[in-house]
Amino acid sequence: MSRWPLVLGLVAVLLGWPVTASAHGAVAGSTPGAGSRLAESPTAVRIEFSTVIERGSVVLEDAAGKDWSGGAARVEGVLLEREVGAELPDGEYAARWTALTGDGTPLDGVLRFSVGVVPDDGNPFDDVITPHGIIQLRNAAIVGVGLLTLITAAALAGTYRRVGR
């Protein structure tokens, strides 16, 4: 059996595999964590970036759109922070943030978390996908496409080998 389908499939996978290199900033972590369920109200929302940011803003809202932010957003190096204006009652919250990195790249996102007892509606589309989860999903897709390429190449090689006889 010819090894060309296998070799071609592996080459296709390796050429298609993205190399993670980023000159721009990204979220390195947050407090509270994305999708976390807190027993008590946090005192502040903190977002840490992989690079220094020049300026940013954070607005903390509940599910009804009420603003629970306190004071002004504070930027210090890689940290964007905003105090919580009052003790948060049980419920779901979204901290909508924007930031501008030192190289001028605009970033934005939403940090979702809940406080206290919040019934789970069971909707899988409400689940939070973390940056790590996105990387895992991307890698699984690459492996799937690579396997599909290998199977297709093997099927084509087998078909053309039979025709050539």
Side-chain angles (χ1 to χ4, degrees), residues 1-6 8 149-165:
M1 180 177 160
S2 174
R3 292 188 179 153
W4 280 109
L6 179 62
L8 291 175
T149 302
L150 285 172
I151 292 167
T152 303
L156 287 172
T159 299
Y160 286 111
R161 188 175 28 242
R162 281 189 224 109
V163 170
R165 287 184 179 175

Side-chain angles (χ1 to χ4, degrees), residues 60-68 88-89 91-94 96:
L60 179 61
E61 298 175 336
D62 62 17
K66 180 179 177 185
D67 187 352
W68 290 87
L88 299 176
E92 296 181 356
Y93 296 89
R96 300 180 193 290

Side-chain angles (χ1 to χ4, degrees), residues 5 9 12-13 140-156:
V13 168
I142 290 168
V143 168
V145 168
L147 288 173
L148 185 60
T149 302
L150 285 172
I151 292 167
T152 303
L156 287 172

Side-chain angles (χ1 to χ4, degrees), residues 116-130:
V117 179
V118 179
D120 186 7
D121 65 3
N123 185 348
F125 294 107
D126 289 339
D127 289 347
V128 175
I129 298 177
T130 63

Side-chain angles (χ1 to χ4, degrees), residues 63-121:
K66 180 179 177 185
D67 187 352
W68 290 87
S69 308
R74 184 173 61 92
V75 173
E76 187 174 303
V78 297
L79 186 68
L80 171 60
E81 179 179 43
R82 184 144 189 203
E83 300 294 321
V84 174
E87 184 82 15
L88 299 176
D90 288 3
E92 296 181 356
Y93 296 89
R96 300 180 193 290
W97 57 267
T98 61
L100 185 68
T101 64
D103 68 358
T105 303
L107 303 172
D108 61 67
V110 179
L111 169 62
R112 297 183 193 281
F113 63 93
S114 61
V115 174
V117 179
V118 179
D120 186 7
D121 65 3

